[in-house]
Amino acid sequence: MKVGIKRKSTYKQMALETAVRNPERYINILSALKEFEGIILNDENLLKIVTHLYKSEVFTSDKINISNLTSENEIRKKVIEVNETRRADGGFPSGYQSRFWTYMRTPSELGFIFAQYGKELIFSEIATKLINGEIDEQEAFSIQAIRFNRKSPYRNVSNDFNFFRFIIEVLLKLKDEGRSLSYEQFIIAMFSNNGDVEEFLSIIKHTKFKDVKAAYNYAVSNFQATTKIQTVTRDYPDVVRRVFIISGFISIRYSGHKTIQINENKLKFIKELLQFEFKFSEKEKIDPLSYFNKLNSNNEKLLELIIKHRASDKIDGNEYVNKIFE
């Protein structure tokens, strides 16, 4: 297998895997994958897994019609064929192995799963509880997001902070001032190098962004953005925004203009979550298993917090529905 040369890290826009835009899909993906827990992710087993995910309709392709294939061997051959042009990624070889990783990147970044080529497949305690229905998606995503770190074994970036905490703290500051965060300002926040709340608030205080094109031009001039406008202003923000709301952290409001606010229904819960500090060692930022273990520390305290707030917890009505399917 050809091993690529790792590039020097740079500051980049916040991003999550865009192939899966609706984070609710990860629940079905992980549920379908659970039966393979403990196996080694080699080529043979990965072919079994990917074939199973196609048969379960977790993965879909216009080029694979399962009902027309009469044997397991035929299905596997078709799986290999339709994925043969996929490039190697995340330490997984090109082909169906790389397709598997496409769906595992975000769950790995959030600590739901440990999925490395040639290593044992491991599910976190939180992922298992989510699959078993012991906690719901909002509870699971909220406690994993609050332990997230931008710099990790899965992102070769210089940005070294928790982006979710950063935005929550921004929204709490704006709330105190009776203000909201516009969608255009959210785009600019995604370029923060170090999660400095005051620095970002100063930017949006002194700079107006009348539309997404203005936000894009600012990102190009001030953060050396090089990707196309669709990626910067739509693809990346859309996926990240959806994870924010499935976590219950924000509400999207419409008053002639899309704005982002802290979710008032979960304010006490959010503030208590912020009291949990997670500091990653340099090893944990570069070693996948160490990172996974770190993201699954303090489970007992966080689960206690969930149970404490569960009685008064509620999804933010239409805002929750709109954010996923919009």
Side-chain angles (χ1 to χ4, degrees), residues 73-84:
N73 190 46
E74 279 186 323
I75 297 174
R76 291 185 181 181
K77 285 183 178 179
K78 197 65 176 177
V79 167
I80 294 172
E81 177 187 328
V82 300
N83 290 290
E84 61 185 359

Side-chain angles (χ1 to χ4, degrees), residues 147 276-278 294 296-303:
R147 297 190 278 195
F276 288 89
E277 290 292 339
F278 290 86
K294 182 66 176 184
N296 287 281
S297 59
N298 289 328
N299 281 344
E300 184 176 348
K301 291 181 179 179
L302 289 166
L303 288 169

Side-chain angles (χ1 to χ4, degrees), residues 63-128:
K63 298 179 181 179
I64 297 182
N65 188 336
I66 299 296
S67 61
N68 290 340
L69 301 173
T70 58
S71 70
E72 185 76 7
N73 190 46
E74 279 186 323
I75 297 174
R76 291 185 181 181
K77 285 183 178 179
K78 197 65 176 177
V79 167
I80 294 172
E81 177 187 328
V82 300
N83 290 290
E84 61 185 359
T85 60
R86 300 185 69 87
R87 296 180 180 179
D89 189 22
F92 286 79
S94 58
Y96 62 87
Q97 302 95 322
S98 176
R99 181 167 182 80
F100 170 82
W101 175 243
T102 297
Y103 288 81
M104 290 302 107
R105 186 192 303 274
T106 294
S108 295
E109 287 190 86
L110 290 172
F112 284 116
I113 199 168
F114 175 76
Q116 290 286 281
Y117 184 66
K119 301 292 179 65
E120 178 184 353
L121 177 64
I122 306 173
F123 281 71
S124 72
E125 178 185 4
I126 300 304
T128 300

Side-chain angles (χ1 to χ4, degrees), residues 7-259:
R7 297 179 181 178
K8 183 179 179 181
S9 65
T10 57
Y11 291 106
K12 296 180 182 178
Q13 181 183 11
M14 171 66 187
L16 293 169
E17 178 59 56
T18 57
V20 182
R21 290 189 177 274
N22 182 354
E24 288 184 331
R25 287 189 61 197
Y26 287 119
I27 302 168
N28 291 333
I29 292 169
L30 292 174
S31 296
L33 190 63
K34 192 67 165 68
E35 66 182 81
F36 298 97
E37 183 175 13
I39 73 166
I40 302 300
L41 296 176
N42 55 30
D43 293 341
E44 180 182 357
N45 286 332
L46 282 167
L47 183 55
K48 292 178 182 178
I49 291 171
V50 174
T51 299
H52 172 73
L53 295 177
Y54 273 110
K55 290 171 65 177
S56 303
E57 298 184 342
V58 174
F59 290 0
T60 59
S61 171
D62 293 338
K63 298 179 181 179
I64 297 182
N65 188 336
I66 299 296
S67 61
N68 290 340
L69 301 173
T70 58
S71 70
E72 185 76 7
N73 190 46
E74 279 186 323
I75 297 174
R76 291 185 181 181
K77 285 183 178 179
K78 197 65 176 177
V79 167
I80 294 172
E81 177 187 328
V82 300
N83 290 290
E84 61 185 359
T85 60
R86 300 185 69 87
R87 296 180 180 179
D89 189 22
F92 286 79
S94 58
Y96 62 87
Q97 302 95 322
S98 176
R99 181 167 182 80
F100 170 82
W101 175 243
T102 297
Y103 288 81
M104 290 302 107
R105 186 192 303 274
T106 294
S108 295
E109 287 190 86
L110 290 172
F112 284 116
I113 199 168
F114 175 76
Q116 290 286 281
Y117 184 66
K119 301 292 179 65
E120 178 184 353
L121 177 64
I122 306 173
F123 281 71
S124 72
E125 178 185 4
I126 300 304
T128 300
K129 286 183 178 296
L130 174 61
I131 292 167
N132 292 339
E134 297 175 55
I135 59 177
D136 64 31
E137 63 268 31
Q138 201 171 87
E139 293 168 336
F141 274 88
S142 66
I143 61 177
Q144 290 309 111
I146 211 66
R147 297 190 278 195
F148 170 86
N149 199 60
R150 181 77 177 99
K151 186 177 183 180
S152 76
Y154 309 110
R155 294 285 172 179
N156 186 30
V157 298
S158 297
N159 317 63
D160 191 3
F161 65 98
N162 186 329
F163 183 79
F164 294 97
R165 284 178 176 265
F166 164 59
I167 292 297
I168 290 171
E169 289 170 359
V170 165
L171 292 176
L172 288 173
K173 288 272 191 179
L174 291 176
K175 178 183 178 297
D176 289 341
E177 300 173 6
R179 299 165 58 200
S180 301
L181 189 70
S182 73
Y183 181 77
E184 292 76 17
Q185 291 168 338
F186 180 67
I187 293 170
I188 300 304
M190 294 180 68
F191 284 91
S192 175
N193 289 343
N194 54 14
D196 189 321
V197 174
E198 295 303 326
E199 179 181 62
F200 172 70
L201 291 175
S202 178
I203 290 174
I204 62 175
K205 179 180 180 180
H206 296 99
T207 311
K208 304 297 181 183
F209 306 101
K210 65 178 182 178
D211 52 30
V212 295
K213 185 175 181 180
Y216 178 73
N217 290 338
Y218 185 91
V220 171
S221 299
N222 293 274
F223 299 106
Q224 292 73 55
T226 57
T227 47
K228 59 185 180 180
I229 188 170
Q230 169 76 13
T231 302
V232 170
T233 65
R234 176 63 180 178
D235 295 341
Y236 288 168
D238 182 59
V239 172
V240 174
R241 174 181 64 92
R242 290 167 186 250
V243 173
F244 263 105
I245 304 190
I246 198 174
S247 301
F249 293 148
I250 66 173
S251 297
I252 307 297
R253 305 297 181 187
Y254 301 89
S255 55
H257 198 66
K258 184 189 297 183
T259 61

